[in-house]
Amino acid sequence: MTGAGISTESGIPDYRSEKVGLYARTDRRPIQHGDFVRSAPVRQRYWARNFVGWPQFSSHQPNPAHWALSNWERLGKLHWLVTQNVDALHTKAGSQRLTELHGCMHRVLCLDCGEQTPRGVLQERFQVLNPTWSAEAHGLAPDGDVFLTEEEVQSFQVPSCSRCGGPLKPDVVFFGDTVKPDKVDFVHKRVKEADSLLVVGSSLQVYSGYRFILTAREKKLPIVILNIGPTRSDDLASLKLDSRCGELLPLIDPR
């Protein structure tokens, strides 16, 4: 199971790292699901910021930690990979036995009809609707969001679903929303089939990931945690390693 800490070495900031995470550096907090669904101005602000941040966010590439896990899968040593990240870096590294627990920013969903489209296609629609719009980004967030002023946001035009005209949302679980039960059940099954659980780059503060630790403990599976700084499950780990993911994982010989 991987968290934001595996992607920081690819240049994507995280929320919780001591002194350097977004929570430590700013008073900004990620968008709430209820606000996004209920409010057109909230969606306008979100998409304006996301439009500006997308070229940089989508250009990030896997680092040695992502490649190591993909390689383990190729060798038959990784039964399943669950990521809490929405950055598609595991997919870019070639991982296929993969569940994106919180979805992926590279897909867009219509809230009314459920139609899925690639995020790159939406970027082109934004550009057509906003040919002269420009804004200066003030720092990137872990989900590809950037910080803009209210003046910059107000003139931004947001397209609707091309099939039904409904509002569009990235195919990710925002804070305040929940992971679909069938996806949770699927991951619980994969954990129960495994012979150990490795956590990479997650503080396990969010229950959506922490619950799989509880399942592993129930099955008496060895739990290993690789993370800089303390996690919610340090006391349940057979082994805790305080190191950068991209430096340590490639050193492990899975054979």
Side-chain angles (χ1 to χ4, degrees):
M1 182 164 66
T2 65
I6 197 174
S7 293
T8 52
E9 290 166 70
S10 291
I12 298 175
D14 69 353
Y15 286 115
R16 291 184 176 81
S17 283
E18 288 181 59
K19 297 182 183 149
V20 294
L22 196 72
Y23 289 169
R25 290 183 291 110
T26 75
D27 60 0
R28 303 277 184 169
R29 293 296 177 267
I31 194 156
Q32 296 293 315
H33 176 79
D35 296 341
F36 186 94
V37 172
R38 280 191 300 267
S39 166
V42 167
R43 291 195 293 273
Q44 179 190 40
R45 186 184 329 128
Y46 175 85
W47 281 121
R49 289 154 53 150
N50 192 271
F51 169 72
V52 175
W54 181 250
Q56 184 186 345
F57 182 78
S58 60
S59 70
H60 288 294
Q61 294 302 313
N63 65 57
H66 297 99
W67 291 112
L69 293 176
S70 174
N71 185 41
W72 295 3
E73 180 188 314
R74 229 167 18 87
L75 295 169
K77 298 293 183 180
L78 185 89
H79 176 56
W80 203 264
L81 177 58
V82 182
T83 186
Q84 298 169 278
N85 300 337
V86 296
D87 53 32
L89 292 184
H90 286 300
T91 301
K92 287 182 180 181
S95 290
Q96 292 178 343
R97 297 175 67 84
L98 170 70
T99 296
E100 293 169 319
L101 196 61
H102 299 147
C104 182
M105 288 298 303
H106 288 249
R107 295 186 300 270
V108 177
L109 202 60
C110 171
L111 285 170
D112 286 352
C113 75
E115 171 90 339
Q116 266 195 10
T117 48
R119 175 63 183 80
V121 171
L122 183 61
Q123 192 74 358
E124 291 166 12
R125 293 184 66 201
F126 281 136
Q127 285 161 344
V128 169
L129 278 179
N130 300 279
T132 59
W133 188 86
S134 68
E136 186 189 340
H138 307 284
L140 188 71
D143 58 0
D145 197 5
V146 298
F147 307 125
L148 303 177
T149 65
E150 281 304 314
E151 296 75 42
E152 288 171 321
V153 166
Q154 277 162 6
S155 61
F156 188 73
Q157 300 295 308
V158 180
S160 302
C161 172
S162 50
R163 190 164 89 175
C164 79
L168 299 175
K169 172 185 172 293
D171 186 14
V172 300
V173 177
F174 283 142
F175 284 76
D177 193 10
T178 53
V179 180
K180 287 192 172 64
D182 56 345
K183 189 184 273 193
V184 174
D185 291 344
F186 178 85
V187 174
H188 278 306
K189 286 185 180 124
R190 301 294 81 79
V191 173
K192 288 171 183 173
E193 291 164 355
D195 52 17
S196 59
L197 176 60
L198 170 64
V199 178
V200 179
S202 175
S203 61
L204 299 167
Q205 292 300 327
V206 179
Y207 181 72
S208 68
Y210 176 68
R211 62 181 142 205
F212 302 119
I213 295 282
L214 300 179
T215 298
R217 184 184 66 168
E218 218 174 90
K219 295 288 291 180
K220 298 188 166 54
L221 302 181
I223 297 165
V224 177
I225 299 175
L226 166 58
N227 189 65
I228 294 176
T231 80
R232 186 176 177 178
S233 300
D234 285 358
D235 58 327
L236 303 178
S238 312
L239 179 63
K240 167 74 197 299
L241 298 162
D242 216 292
S243 172
R244 288 165 73 96
C245 309
E247 288 173 6
L248 194 139
L249 285 188
L251 301 177
I252 298 170
D253 182 356
R255 282 162 293 203

